[in-house]
Amino acid sequence: MTDRVTIKEVAARDGLQAQSVEITLDQRRELIEALAKACVPELEIGSFVSPKAVPQMAGTDELARSLPKTGPKFSALAPNMKGYELARREGIDQIAIVLSATEQMNQNNIRKSLVDTFAMAGDILARAQDDDVEIHAYLAVAFECPYEGKVALSTVLEQVGELMRNKPARLVIADTIGAANPRDVKSMMSELVSQYGPQLLGCHFHDTRAMGLANVFAALDAGVRQFDSSAGGLGGCPFAPGAKGNVATEDVVMLCESSGLATGIDLEALLQGVECLTQMMGAQQGGRAHYWLTNNWQKIAN
Ligand code: COA
Ligand code: ZN
């Protein structure tokens, strides 16, 4: 087990994709710049999806053309081959693809059957091997689906097995609606780590039922060292009713660093990113540690 945790910052994609306030491209760019300054190792800038399906993500191509020249590894989400090609056209070489563990969630999210989606994922993964592109394959609603209820561990293990045959750079288990609990996380992730090793695995938790951070801890305990999180805890999926915010990056950083696991993230700069989100949303953003971080820690740190 290494003593380092890699965080993929997803506020600019998962954080913004379901918000109802109007957000301009300049604001999205400003957010990305602020988060890049916080030294997050990976940063998802947006998604190459149909603007009819997710209007909040329109213009990700333009955004991709004006990213900071240094800083994190920039990535984007693509729901299909067209999205993959659009992302590649802008030079993005770390791309997230999403398959849901259940038929209904998959249909609602990308309007395709699960069988067709696994076939499409195989095509994208094969293409990515030739293009030298890293694919992060997400298995959404891996614990519970808003339409079909609880997902059996055996289903997830089988689906992960199928995906792993096509060699993604990372397989991310996503608790899209925040319904997992630490015990289930520990058993699922321990099993996956024992089969595939920690390097190929990641976790993506939402905090709907206040178990986000506990689930991160359970996954850490199982050996997982790659996590998605969102500055300020903003997040949600337009096609998964009940999905609340992602686990907050500042909280995950606090958890990791206080447990002796380095993230490399500059907390003070990250709080500037959260402030940027507060301005964009017109409402205070921040994870569970936000009050302490801004009122106590900053005084100690300065
Ligand atoms: N980016 C931009 N436009 C796209 C696209 C992409 N990745 N994929 C398809 N389109 C366009 C097509 O060109 C077509 O445009 P037109 O109407 O001008 O001819 C239109 O979308 C419909 O294409 P089709 O292939 O029939 O798609 P669809 O209507 O079945 O929608 C998705 C499928 C995947 C494109 C759509 O459901 C989507 O973008 N979902 C995003 C889901 C998401 O982001 N979820 C949250 C994150 S997990
Ligand atoms: Zn999510």
Side-chain angles (χ1 to χ4, degrees):
M1 271 206 267
T2 96
D3 61 354
R4 208 174 168 82
V5 166
T6 301
I7 290 181
K8 185 199 274 193
E9 170 55 57
V10 298
R13 196 275 302 169
D14 208 338
L16 300 184
Q17 71 184 5
Q19 302 305 323
S20 49
V21 298
E22 184 95 13
I23 297 158
T24 65
L25 270 188
D26 280 343
Q27 286 176 307
R28 288 170 66 190
R29 191 175 296 115
E30 201 184 311
L31 172 67
I32 289 168
E33 282 166 5
L35 294 170
K37 282 191 190 138
C39 306
V40 292
E42 297 178 3
L43 196 163
E44 193 168 46
I45 64 160
S47 44
F48 290 86
V49 295
S50 158
K52 283 186 199 138
V54 191
Q56 293 88 338
M57 291 290 106
T60 299
D61 49 355
E62 200 182 322
L63 199 57
R65 279 170 227 146
S66 58
L67 294 173
K69 295 289 168 243
T70 56
K73 177 86 179 162
F74 292 112
S75 64
L77 181 145
N80 53 16
M81 190 61 93
K82 175 167 177 154
Y84 173 89
E85 282 169 355
L86 291 172
R88 288 297 300 134
R89 206 158 72 190
E90 305 308 336
I92 302 287
D93 59 5
Q94 189 185 81
I95 297 176
I97 60 171
V98 182
L99 305 95
S100 300
T102 65
E103 181 68 33
Q104 200 52 51
M105 180 65 205
N106 207 66
Q107 291 278 3
N108 287 18
N109 195 32
I110 60 168
R111 300 157 65 92
K112 253 194 180 52
S113 73
L114 256 187
V115 168
D116 289 350
T117 305
F118 272 85
M120 177 189 76
D123 291 344
I124 294 178
L125 282 158
R127 174 89 174 266
Q129 292 265 330
D130 294 342
D131 296 348
D132 210 11
V133 165
E134 275 180 54
I135 298 291
H136 291 182
Y138 283 68
L139 192 62
V141 298
F143 296 89
E144 190 171 323
C145 166
Y147 308 105
E148 296 186 28
K150 288 217 178 298
V151 176
L153 176 60
S154 55
T155 304
V156 170
L157 296 180
E158 206 176 293
Q159 291 173 332
V160 170
E162 187 171 345
L163 278 166
M164 286 297 199
R165 276 194 280 283
N166 291 311
K167 300 194 178 354
R170 186 180 301 166
L171 188 300
V172 183
I173 295 293
D175 180 24
T176 312
I177 58 168
N181 64 69
R183 206 167 71 166
D184 289 350
V185 169
K186 179 82 188 283
S187 40
M188 183 187 292
M189 297 319 298
S190 298
E191 178 60 36
L192 291 175
V193 168
S194 77
Q195 283 192 42
Y196 305 104
Q199 295 83 359
L200 286 180
L201 296 165
C203 284
H204 174 112
F205 293 115
H206 283 255
D207 197 29
T208 318
R209 304 184 195 178
M211 269 180 266
L213 211 55
N215 289 334
V216 172
F217 186 74
L220 281 170
D221 216 21
V224 176
R225 291 292 179 269
Q226 302 176 112
F227 292 90
D228 288 4
S229 63
S230 175
L234 198 64
C237 174
F239 309 102
K244 279 272 188 302
N246 285 77
V247 68
T249 304
E250 56 271 36
D251 293 348
V252 177
V253 171
M254 294 265 301
L255 173 65
C256 292
E257 302 277 348
S258 64
S259 312
L261 297 158
T263 62
I265 291 181
D266 176 341
L267 259 183
E268 200 155 349
L270 181 67
L271 293 176
Q272 293 297 316
V274 176
E275 180 53 30
C276 182
L277 279 162
T278 295
Q279 299 296 328
M280 285 165 81
M281 295 298 124
Q284 181 69 60
Q285 302 301 312
R288 282 154 197 268
H290 189 258
Y291 180 85
W292 183 81
L293 282 169
T294 47
N295 290 283
N296 299 75
W297 177 77
Q298 276 195 333
K299 284 191 199 118
I300 302 163
N302 291 318

